[in-house]
Amino acid sequence: MDRILVRGGHPLNGDIHISGAKNAALPLMVATLLTDESLELANIPHLVDISQMAKLLAQFGVELNINGNPKAGSEDGRLLTLTTRNVTSTEAPYDIVRKMRASFLVFGPLLARAGQARVSLPGGCAIGARPVDLHLKALEAMGAEIVLEEGYVSAKAPYGLTGARVAFPFVSVGATENALMAASLARGETVLENVAREPEISDLAECLIAMGAQIEGHGTSTIHVQGQDRLHAAHHRVLPDRIETGTYAMAPAMAGGSVFLKGARVDLIGALLPVLRQAGIHVEETEDGLFVSDKGGRHKAVDIETEPYPGFPTDLQAQFMALMSTAIGTSHIKEVIFENRFMHVPELTRMGADITVDGQMAHVKGVDHLKGAQVMATDLRASVSLVLAAMAAEGETVVNRVYHLDRGFERIEEKLGACGASIERIKE
Ligand code: UD1
């Protein structure tokens, strides 16, 4: 398994091109299942999760074509064309779903288009139990007959799905996306209440609208969908990755120096900017991106609590903790979205961080400096927090189990290396 070697103490200086958002691209790819015409997606990032989704979709008879070179940093990145003339299979096997929870997003669209679906339950994952009960409740309300057997969810809607009123008990990104896609092809009106407001939901809604869906209210807590008999071809550009943006926005404060995040959309990281400024980091919004620079000296401790969008994203919590580990003062970091998302704590501690966890709360007492160590990536966002910490640390850090990074950060060693970081991949 590949490892990443980072030598700390090299300040950053240069431009980092922000890629298309993984969490937007995955549901957008699934939207191909809703139409027999071609869906063209521009700005698709080059990531393992995208290849996994492509592999899963191919099993249902989706034809996929990829063009363009992400290395060119071109405006449109890679262009992916997906065509699902016929759905040839409706089964999503355990082997793929267990590797990537977003695979469960095919459930609603398969039911809506083909009238049946058999999708493996995702199972537990490193950051908690993460059930799919909300996805199932929404589809059941729309008329699906669902049974759980042998670790699979089997469902039928022989006469198609029917519009319904679904009030989610709490906010779920994936359940909102599943229900939204299914509702686009259901009979009549669907009202989805207490939905996620993440920008990736709006990106999906915009694409569905371009495909002929009638959707209103995306970006707010209630979405209205008037189901259509069929959807059609469309072209859509994936929005920039706000988690990649936020991660690299913290990098200069850790490694020193300054970076320009090209193509970043500042409006998507509204909860992070004031926090960075409070910590004493210089951030400047420009027309085509975000300029971030270290003011020198140690930054200040700031408290955060993760929340659904527009609050502070859980997907930036680990990176922020790495940043706070060298701040002046003690930062209190509360994780409320996932019950077990502090696995980076023991790894940061190995590097000299002073962190104690008490239930949902981590108390991070800033230390003067971190020290390089052997560390283990445990999940996608945790692994990138270790890369950030390594850039700030004295000496060498080896981040093991790098496949987590490859799931969600495009060419990280190239992007940071081009700005002066000493970072290299050790191939096994
Ligand atoms: C998505 C993101 C992930 C991000 C998360 C929260 C993608 C591909 N992934 O994941 O990067 O960390 O949003 O912003 O977009 N839950 C239930 N029952 C359900 C569904 C969810 O109890 O049926 C719980 C989960 O266990 C979790 C919380 O709800 O505690 C939020 O999960 P959810 O918003 O669904 O996250 P994902 O869509 O899986």
Side-chain angles (χ1 to χ4, degrees), residues 70-253:
K71 290 194 183 180
S74 70
E75 283 299 292
D76 263 355
R78 298 192 313 162
L79 185 72
L80 178 64
T81 309
L82 308 102
T83 315
T84 318
R85 267 180 249 289
N86 295 299
V87 175
T88 55
S89 154
T90 51
E91 175 154 335
Y94 177 65
D95 250 13
I96 297 188
V97 182
R98 79 182 162 85
K99 286 191 196 135
M100 187 181 57
R101 183 181 156 81
S103 310
F104 204 78
L105 293 175
V106 301
F107 184 64
L110 282 177
L111 261 173
R113 168 97 178 265
Q116 60 181 46
R118 186 166 186 269
V119 180
S120 170
L121 284 163
C125 78
I127 58 173
R130 297 181 89 176
V132 287
D133 53 324
L134 300 188
H135 300 239
L136 302 187
K137 276 193 188 119
L139 270 304
E140 230 163 20
M142 293 162 79
E145 296 159 18
I146 299 176
V147 282
L148 302 184
E149 49 186 16
E150 296 159 358
Y152 277 75
V153 183
S154 289
K156 278 191 200 143
Y159 307 106
L161 295 170
T162 334
R165 179 173 285 271
V166 180
F168 291 105
F170 55 90
V171 169
S172 159
V173 174
T176 303
E177 291 167 342
N178 230 330
L180 179 61
M181 286 192 275
S184 300
L185 276 190
R187 233 180 356 259
E189 184 183 41
T190 298
V191 182
L192 304 172
E193 291 170 358
N194 196 24
V195 295
R197 290 180 285 161
E198 267 65 3
E200 293 75 21
I201 305 275
S202 295
D203 209 36
L204 174 64
E206 294 298 340
C207 178
L208 293 171
I209 290 168
M211 293 166 72
Q214 268 196 40
I215 301 171
E216 278 172 19
H218 46 289
T220 75
S221 300
T222 306
I223 299 181
H224 290 256
V225 186
Q226 307 295 337
Q228 304 297 306
D229 289 341
R230 60 188 307 270
L231 300 183
H232 53 68
H235 173 94
H236 181 82
R237 184 173 199 277
V238 180
L239 90 176
D241 196 313
R242 65 195 166 97
I243 305 303
E244 190 191 32
T245 303
T247 302
Y248 291 141
M250 296 185 219

